[in-house]
Amino acid sequence: MQLIKRLSERMFWDELIPLMLAVYAFCIFIPRGVTALERLGLGIALLITLCGGRWRHALPYLRHSILLLLLLFVLWQGGTAAWSLDADETLSSAVSVFKDYFLILPPLLFVMSQPALRGLLFRYFAYCALVVMLLNGGQYVQEILTDPALLQNFKLHRGWSHPLIFFFPFVLLQWHLAAGRESPSRWFWLLALMLAILMIIATGARAAWLAILTVGAVWLTLEFNWRRFLQLAFLALCVGLVSYLTVPFVQMKVKQGLDTSGRVGGVWTAAVDMISDRPLLGYGFSKKIYNQEFLRRLDGEPHWTVRRAIGPHSNYLEIAFAGGLVGLGFLLSLYLAAICSYIGSLRICQRAERYWVAAPFAAFAGFYVVRGGFESVRWAPLVIPLACLVHFSWMARTARAKAD
């Protein structure tokens, strides 16, 4: 009877939506075997939102400039099929990559409109980071037990840096909230932050290092608290020093510094050369089309230092190749709108609310603006931090209108 009563309560189903959204976001990054769980999470969240009028909470947000620019960006990528080198491949890729954007918006915007559900969603995102750390740690244990020499191949763990960067700001938020309440859990979250930073360093991905520094910079700009700053600085110094002294490839990467003349620099050269031949409209949205065009030209381009098709290694170059400078303009306009909305929200929000706004923005800035400049990161979760920023920006506008 108790179970039946619980299932009949609206709050039970409301609280299930952020859980399913977190399941979906988590499964985006996990390499194999959870596609069905990803679809199930999104499907349940959408189905619940379509019931009981919850979807109406999303309607006011649909006029926001971020969502309009996002729509234009997606439509342009699909529209490149009109002049693509392979129209069917472009349409298939665009649908595969962007179809979830329109499915996830109703449940995500409904959750963001409810303060309690928003808190649950951000907490679940922090839990996602914990699960990623457990899985990555389990991989290290397996390598030690099977062949310790595998530990030298840091690329085996590079993929884990993607979800760690995306979910890291939400761990940072939980630590901040616990520290503000002087809760004992603040030490748990501080330990989680330390472990996440250590694992990101251990991937050897310098773009990931820059991304995590970006997240930290966003956080420190909110309120310069000497105590918190010294805590984070001491944490980063200890983790970085231990990594530098104990992990050989970290020393190698530090000495390499900002030099990108090797693999990444070579790939960028090829991408720019191909973009310059069709600069306005591009070749059509598809990684397969990019690799095919790269291989077709390879023999005639002896100055390309990378001799195999591994993609453009930059989201900006990927879009410039796919949709030309027009497509890149849509992307940069979208990013600029997100940054402006974030700044506008901070001017209106109360001090305690600013960290809630900063968490999704830091995920967006670290994962897409910074790391997306050095690697072709997945487009799938872009809509999540952008939708969060849409909510906070809309609330800021509403508060400003009432004040006037």
Side-chain angles (χ1 to χ4, degrees), residues 42 58 62 67 70 100-110 383 387:
L42 178 58
L62 298 182
L67 293 185
L70 182 63
D100 288 352
Y101 280 33
F102 305 99
L103 300 178
I104 198 175
L105 277 174
L108 186 54
L109 291 174
F110 167 70
V383 68

Side-chain angles (χ1 to χ4, degrees), residues 19-35:
L19 176 60
M20 292 297 101
L21 290 175
V23 168
Y24 168 79
F26 173 78
C27 291
I28 285 175
F29 293 103
I30 305 304
R32 293 179 296 273
V34 291
T35 303

Side-chain angles (χ1 to χ4, degrees), residues 242-263:
V242 170
S243 302
Y244 183 80
L245 294 176
T246 60
V247 185
F249 68 78
V250 171
Q251 298 180 19
M252 176 192 72
K253 288 290 182 177
V254 171
K255 292 176 181 177
Q256 192 175 357
L258 298 177
D259 179 22
T260 57
S261 59
R263 180 173 63 90

